[in-house]
């Protein structure tokens, strides 16, 4: 039995597994950083980057922005935080998306996001 080749095969597999795990960790970190960038952009009502309101078919990330908004609404609702009628704006965004009005869709998703994350008057009392 030639264990030299076996050791090399096991060693290279272990190394590849480590590389794969590292790659997945970096992908998760990059995904998290992209989410933060999207949330920062959603929080900024004055300047909009076209990458965020254009759909993937045109090189943009609108579908991902939509996913972040859905996730934000779901997470906050699960935490017992009021959605402040954010669903109404989200539904308007869905209609705009279907009709191809991408800027309006982004704007409505942004309004839904802001309805949930905006500071309430009670927060000022603390």
């Amino acid at each position: 039995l030639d264990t030299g080749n076996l050791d090399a095969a096991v060693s290279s597999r272990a190394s590849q597994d480590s590389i794969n795990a590292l790659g997945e960790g970096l992908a998760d970190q990059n995904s998290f950083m992209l989410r933060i960038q999207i949330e920062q952009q959603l929080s900024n009502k004055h300047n909009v980057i076209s990458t965020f309101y254009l759909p993937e078919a045109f090189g943009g990330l609108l579908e991902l922005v939509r996913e972040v908004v859905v996730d934000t609404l779901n997470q906050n609702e699960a935490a017992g935080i009021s959605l402040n009628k954010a669903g109404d704006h989200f539904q308007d965004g869905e209609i705009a998306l279907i009709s191809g009005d991408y800027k309006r869709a982004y704007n409505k998703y942004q309004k839904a996001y802001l309805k949930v994350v905006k500071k309430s008057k009670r927060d000022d009392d603390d």
Side-chain angles (χ1 to χ4, degrees), residues 13-75:
R13 262 196 311 249
S15 297
Q16 188 60 47
D17 288 345
S18 298
I19 291 169
N20 290 344
L22 178 61
E24 289 171 10
L26 290 174
D28 289 345
Q29 184 177 8
N30 286 338
S31 295
F32 185 69
M33 293 305 296
L34 179 56
R35 182 186 174 113
I36 289 172
Q37 289 174 330
I38 289 171
E39 290 201 46
Q40 286 175 331
Q41 184 63 47
L42 286 166
S43 296
N44 181 355
K45 293 191 288 187
H46 303 291
N47 297 311
V48 179
I49 298 170
S50 67
T51 299
F52 293 123
Y53 67 72
L54 289 172
E56 186 177 346
F58 299 106
L61 298 171
L62 181 59
E63 294 86 354
L64 186 56
V65 168
R66 180 191 176 280
E67 286 180 37
V68 167
V69 172
V70 167
D71 194 44
T72 299
L73 297 178
N74 289 337
Q75 289 173 344

Side-chain angles (χ1 to χ4, degrees), residues 88-106:
D88 295 343
H89 292 293
F90 182 80
Q91 289 304 321
D92 290 344
E94 296 289 81
I95 293 166
L97 181 62
I98 290 167
S99 68
D101 191 347
Y102 306 124
K103 280 187 173 183
R104 181 170 170 75
Y106 175 87

